[in-house]
Amino acid sequence: MIKIYERASMRNEDIFIRSTSSPDVCGIVRDIIADVIENGDSAIKKYEEKFDKCTLESLEVTKEEIDEAWAEADAEFIAVMEKAAKNIIFYHEHQKREGFRINKDDGCILGQRIIPLHRAGLYVPGGTAAYPSSVLMNCIPAKIAGVDEIVMTTPPNAEGKINPIILCAAKIAGVDRIFKVGGSQAIAALAYGTESIPKVDKIVGPGNAFVAEAKRQVFGIVNIDMIAGPSEILIVADESCDEKKVAADLLSQAEHDRLASAVLVTPSRDLADRVAKELEVQLALLPREDIARTSVDNNGKIIICESIDECIDIANDIAPEHLEICVDEPMQYLDRIRNAGSVFLGKNTPEALGDYFAGTNHTLPTGGTARFSSPLSVDDFIKKYAYTYYTEDALMKVASDIEYFAEREGLSAHARSVTVRRK
């Protein structure tokens, strides 16, 4: 049963989303990464046999395998994924930006160039967490950014095959190469390269505790999107809300995994009681009841506040991955929302819209990191460099200032690099 709290009686630290800590996998992951660095493909095949129970002759998915998956796929599901992809493309096209060049009157030129990454790595979970939506969400922004090559890794089944719908999503999204490898060994391969798997510049995509730890350990060798934690949803709702809809939206995240967090913040005790009862009704109907119930019992909460304004303040403090504002006039609160991964406004905008179809990205900051980070976007797949050009006359006008600044920092060679250019 979800717990109900009065905000006035809660300590500030008790309002934050908490979940059970993952096991310490640091040492295991470190050993796997070291093995992959030293032994390449042979280490990958060894771990695939150990963890995914399959023996692989070749790691790369062939064009024939992709074509076979496409031919056998549910045509209706393909059509739905293609519609979703169009929406994702439409939204992310608006994130593209250009560099700039400033021509100053004194002959100086200053500028910035925006360059796409050369190669990006996409990790896609397998097993019960095989989500084609994640393929679309992680690949399409990279394509729009202009990344030269997108390499995907995903674990195979015991027969050495990839989930067909994942292969179809990869084809729709424009993935260039796909490899049959999962877990921390996949992250190591993408970061350092093997005989078969090319080294990438950035790794994106969700995964379990071993994948998350591997991404943490290879950061610096490559860039990563984020260290994603368990799924979260926070709903701000008033007394006019339908408890069935609120409960359904809370459970849409609770069913992800046992560590997920579902929180309702409301000024209405009546709504709190109604939602608590409705959660029990809907939980009994879920195929993933055991997972969702553990999430609700351990990490779920309902917080009763004095007003919607106070609810918004709590949402900003928690900085949730998904934030729903379920009131009749939600736009009046948009400017007050400072910390959230993605915001869903109004009573007809369930979080599932963002997961699949609206076009906004569903790879979002978790664990309060929305205070300082953002959803995955085209910006994640670009880099920038500045450029400067000075004429001789322009340099001479500022030479003494540069020399003086450098000497004050005790860096005489810096000063001399200007002095030698004086006539």
Side-chain angles (χ1 to χ4, degrees):
M1 186 80 175
I2 196 167
K3 301 175 183 66
I4 301 178
Y5 302 88
E6 296 281 351
R7 172 65 183 98
S9 62
M10 295 178 72
R11 299 177 301 173
N12 285 339
E13 58 266 32
D14 290 335
I15 72 170
F16 294 102
I17 294 172
R18 302 182 187 277
S19 59
T20 306
S21 299
S22 299
D24 182 10
V25 299
C26 180
I28 297 172
V29 169
R30 185 181 296 112
D31 290 344
I32 291 173
I33 291 174
D35 194 3
V36 171
I37 292 172
E38 182 175 355
N39 297 302
D41 284 356
S42 64
I44 295 292
K45 292 176 181 179
K46 176 182 70 177
Y47 290 120
E48 285 308 307
E49 187 167 358
K50 179 178 180 180
F51 298 128
D52 294 318
K53 312 302 180 186
C54 66
T55 301
L56 297 174
E57 292 296 325
S58 174
L59 296 178
E60 187 163 7
V61 174
T62 65
K63 181 180 182 301
E64 289 71 26
E65 289 175 289
I66 298 171
D67 291 342
E68 180 183 354
W70 187 269
E72 295 178 359
D74 178 354
E76 183 178 1
F77 192 23
I78 292 290
V80 169
M81 285 198 293
E82 289 176 334
K83 289 179 184 177
K86 288 180 181 178
N87 291 339
I88 297 167
I89 291 168
F90 176 77
Y91 177 80
H92 288 80
E93 283 279 358
H94 287 77
Q95 295 176 340
K96 293 171 66 175
R97 50 187 175 135
E98 298 179 354
F100 59 85
R101 171 173 168 151
I102 305 166
N103 295 296
K104 299 177 68 177
D105 292 340
D106 58 5
C108 304
I109 299 174
L110 305 175
Q112 176 178 279
R113 287 203 67 205
I114 295 177
I115 307 295
L117 301 182
H118 171 54
R119 185 181 289 125
L122 165 58
Y123 183 85
V124 177
T128 59
Y131 301 135
S133 58
S134 289
V135 179
L136 303 180
M137 292 289 182
N138 284 273
C139 180
I140 288 173
K143 278 290 183 183
I144 291 172
V147 172
D148 295 317
E149 185 175 51
I150 299 171
V151 179
M152 188 176 95
T153 63
T154 188
N157 61 19
E159 287 73 45
K161 295 185 178 295
I162 302 300
N163 186 317
I165 204 62
I166 294 295
L167 295 181
C168 292
K171 182 174 180 176
I172 291 170
V175 174
D176 296 296
R177 300 178 71 183
I178 305 170
F179 292 89
K180 303 174 182 180
V181 52
S184 49
Q185 62 270 25
I187 302 302
L190 290 171
Y192 291 94
T194 71
E195 300 93 321
S196 299
I197 302 172
K199 172 182 169 62
V200 303
D201 301 309
K202 183 165 188 170
I203 301 172
V204 302
N208 62 18
F210 290 89
V211 170
E213 177 59 30
K215 287 170 71 175
R216 188 192 309 275
Q217 291 190 24
V218 302
F219 175 65
I221 302 300
V222 292
N223 196 2
I224 61 172
D225 50 354
M226 62 188 76
I227 305 294
S231 298
E232 307 160 0
I233 187 169
L234 187 149
I235 300 176
V236 172
D238 61 22
E239 66 281 353
S240 69
C241 285
D242 182 338
E243 67 273 15
K244 292 183 174 61
K245 296 175 182 177
V246 174
D249 290 1
L250 289 169
L251 292 176
S252 72
Q253 292 307 293
E255 73 171 350
H256 264 297
D257 63 63
R258 291 174 173 83
L259 300 178
S261 300
V263 177
L264 168 64
V265 188
T266 179
S268 170
R269 178 76 202 205
D270 177 60
L271 178 66
D273 291 336
R274 286 187 281 126
V275 170
K277 292 177 183 177
E278 181 62 26
L279 281 169
E280 294 301 310
V281 173
Q282 293 191 26
L283 274 167
L285 304 175
L286 290 179
R288 295 167 68 91
E289 177 188 358
D290 181 54
I291 293 172
R293 185 174 293 280
T294 301
S295 167
V296 169
D297 290 348
N298 293 347
N299 307 313
K301 63 182 71 170
I302 298 175
I303 302 173
I304 302 174
C305 299
E306 291 294 325
S307 65
I308 290 293
D309 285 336
E310 187 180 20
C311 294
I312 297 293
D313 290 339
I314 289 176
N316 281 326
D317 287 340
I318 293 176
E321 178 187 17
H322 306 97
L323 173 60
E324 289 189 11
I325 308 296
C326 293
V327 297
D328 287 330
E329 300 294 336
M331 289 297 177
Q332 65 179 303
Y333 298 104
L334 186 58
D335 289 345
R336 289 203 52 215
I337 298 165
R338 187 176 185 89
N339 301 326
S342 192
V343 183
F344 302 86
L345 297 160
K347 298 178 180 179
N348 298 304
T349 315
E351 178 277 331
L353 266 171
D355 270 352
Y356 299 112
F357 214 72
T360 53
N361 207 286
H362 79 193
T363 301
L364 305 170
T366 61
T369 59
R371 291 181 295 109
F372 51 80
S373 57
S374 308
L376 191 76
S377 71
V378 171
D379 286 344
D380 283 284
F381 299 97
I382 62 170
K383 58 182 179 178
K384 296 164 282 189
Y385 69 75
Y387 61 89
T388 307
Y389 170 80
Y390 267 53
T391 63
E392 182 181 12
D393 288 345
L395 177 62
M396 291 307 105
K397 288 178 183 178
V398 297
S400 61
D401 292 333
I402 300 169
E403 291 163 349
Y404 179 73
F405 210 140
E407 293 290 357
R408 289 301 300 266
E409 289 194 344
L411 298 173
S412 297
H414 280 64
R416 192 175 298 112
S417 71
V418 175
T419 302
V420 299
R421 287 174 166 80
R422 283 183 180 271
K423 291 183 179 179

